Amino acid sequence: MPIDPQDTLLAVQASLAQLSSLIVSYSFSAIGAVILLVVGYLVAGLAERSIFAGLGHIHGFDATLRHFFSKIVRYSILILVVIMVLGQFGVQTASIIAAIGAIGLAIGLALQGTLQNIAAGIMLLALRPFRIGEYVEVGPISGTVEEIGLFATRLRTVDGVYVLAPNSTLWNQPVRNYTRNGVRRGDVTLTIGSWNDIDLAQKVMLGVAATERRVRREPVPIAFVSTVGDSGVAISLRYWTSAADFFATQIDLTKRAKQAFDAEGISVPAPPPEAPSQEPSVTRQ
């Protein structure tokens, strides 16, 4: 049966018209999606900064929680924007949410250890056993806290080493926070010869503490005999100072106490004599 050229032309025209309609429709959808992405990205950033700044006006609100809540708001807006963009192309949002739920369940089963870190991170942020800037010791890990994330916590040791500790590790062990209470007790111990005047040594120790402005007057510093040896007596000075000045105060007091002992003629025990070396005797022939 011969093909009518006019019918062919009409079919081509109808196809072109339908294609043009689809192109126009998807073009508007694509343009709308791009605009929505740009606006959503800007709104997410503005919301993050606004939440961070707003929480900063609340007296005593922890800096770590400010970062956490502002990030939550940002990523929530971005996820919502992505769902809206997919909806522009006719994708059912209900199916998207169901797919996200299924993917989240699969990821949760595959990454149980990671979820433990997230749960521990939330507990650390909620209970706050330590904050940014505090010096802590958790098991073998110690250092100044620099950042508390959802997965891990970043610390800096006293010798400047970078440490990234999983949150589950920090949550499952006792935390020793050396900064939280604001004050710390320090001990300086020097060993003197047993022939020296012990009372004078204790008086010198207390005099050194009295002239140090970083040593607190309450509780009152005390000096006492901590150990007694065969040839030496250990004299200890116990005092309280602020947590921020702990190490510097201990270093300075140790040096000044030794200088004060030298000025008063209080000597340290002499080291034991070295045993003569046992060299093998050589028999001369």
Side-chain angles (χ1 to χ4, degrees), residues 266-283:
I266 301 174
S267 58
V268 299
E274 296 184 1
S277 59
Q278 299 294 330
E279 296 183 358
S281 60
V282 178
T283 304

Side-chain angles (χ1 to χ4, degrees), residues 17-18 28 32-33 36 54 60 65 70 75 83 90 95 101 108-109 120 136 145 157 163 169 205 212 216 248 264:
Q18 189 175 15
F28 280 115
L36 192 59
L65 293 178
S70 60
Y75 290 123
I83 294 176
S95 60
L109 293 175
V136 298
V145 179
T157 64
V163 176
T169 302
M205 280 275 203
E212 174 55 61
R216 292 177 174 262
E264 293 291 339

Side-chain angles (χ1 to χ4, degrees), residues 86-157:
L86 293 176
Q88 288 285 321
F89 295 97
V91 181
Q92 295 295 326
T93 56
S95 60
I96 296 174
I97 296 174
I100 292 176
I103 293 172
L105 179 60
I107 294 175
L109 293 175
L111 302 175
Q112 294 184 14
T114 303
L115 291 179
Q116 290 179 0
N117 288 326
I118 294 176
I122 293 174
M123 296 303 295
L124 290 175
L125 291 171
L127 299 181
R128 292 183 290 178
F130 47 78
R131 299 185 178 94
I132 294 176
E134 293 182 336
Y135 185 84
V136 298
E137 179 182 315
V138 187
I141 302 170
S142 62
T144 302
V145 179
E146 292 190 331
E147 181 183 358
I148 306 173
L150 278 180
F151 299 96
T153 296
R154 189 176 76 239
L155 304 97
R156 185 185 70 255
T157 64

